[in-house]
Amino acid sequence: RVFLVGGSLLAFTLFRKPLISKLLKLNDTSVHCIYWGNAGNEKHPLEHSNLHWVNLEGDNLNSNPLSDLKAIRALVKLIRANKPTKVMSFNAKPILYTSLLCKIFSTKCKTLALMEGLGKGLNFLSDLEKKTFDIATRHILFNLDLMTF
């Protein structure tokens, strides 16, 4: 059971199709592609019996954690129900929330965080929010297990 968690469906469409295809070729691998929200087209780039698309219906660009409660609750339900063995998250929000929730609710889950770019995607955050993100993710990013497939 592998979770790929990203900010939007567009990221899966543009950058994750080869990874998803490779994971699906492994025997008995169930892949959940979970995205924080989507503005626009809901057309999934791949279809497969072991591939599950989940829109958390959150706002990937909003920096207010209270606005994410519905999406966080949905992510907790997915983690509890599916007990993922490996999780790869990319983009700031999915990295932060998914890593924390996997540590809390799934002790056997290996996590990998992929922060793309040079961090300019966090420019919309205030200085206090940037500092909070830095403190919250410092422990997570330096204590992640390596993900092997």
Side-chain angles (χ1 to χ4, degrees):
R1 293 165 312 276
V2 177
F3 277 19
L4 300 177
V5 187
S8 69
L9 181 60
L10 183 62
F12 284 101
T13 303
L14 296 176
F15 306 114
R16 307 289 177 245
K17 282 178 19 180
L19 173 62
I20 296 167
S21 296
K22 188 173 181 177
L23 289 171
L24 290 171
K25 289 179 183 174
L26 300 174
N27 291 337
D28 297 326
T29 301
S30 174
V31 179
H32 288 74
C33 293
I34 304 162
Y35 49 101
W36 210 256
N38 194 48
N41 190 358
E42 279 290 322
K43 187 173 191 271
H44 300 134
L46 296 169
E47 297 296 333
H48 190 278
S49 60
N50 288 339
L51 178 62
H52 311 280
W53 294 95
V54 181
N55 183 349
L56 296 176
E57 298 181 13
D59 184 354
N60 194 37
L61 300 177
N62 190 338
S63 62
N64 181 357
L66 295 177
S67 67
D68 294 324
L69 290 178
K70 179 181 174 187
I72 291 170
R73 194 173 310 124
L75 188 55
V76 167
K77 285 181 182 179
L78 283 169
I79 291 170
R80 283 181 164 171
N82 295 287
K83 296 176 180 46
T85 55
K86 295 177 175 64
V87 175
M88 177 182 177
S89 47
F90 46 95
N91 302 114
K93 262 187 200 185
I95 289 170
L96 177 64
Y97 293 131
T98 306
S99 298
L100 286 171
L101 294 173
C102 281
K103 290 289 183 190
I104 294 169
F105 295 107
S106 182
T107 57
K108 295 183 181 182
C109 180
K110 291 185 179 185
T111 57
L112 175 68
L114 171 63
M115 182 58 109
E116 301 165 318
L118 300 172
K120 295 187 189 250
L122 300 177
N123 284 345
F124 68 92
L125 298 175
S126 70
D127 288 338
L128 177 62
E129 291 168 329
K130 285 179 188 176
K131 189 67 176 169
T132 304
F133 181 80
D134 180 51
I135 291 168
T137 58
R138 185 178 304 137
H139 176 73
I140 296 165
L141 297 178
F142 290 111
N143 290 298
L144 293 175
D145 296 316
L146 290 176
M147 182 181 234
T148 56
F149 294 105

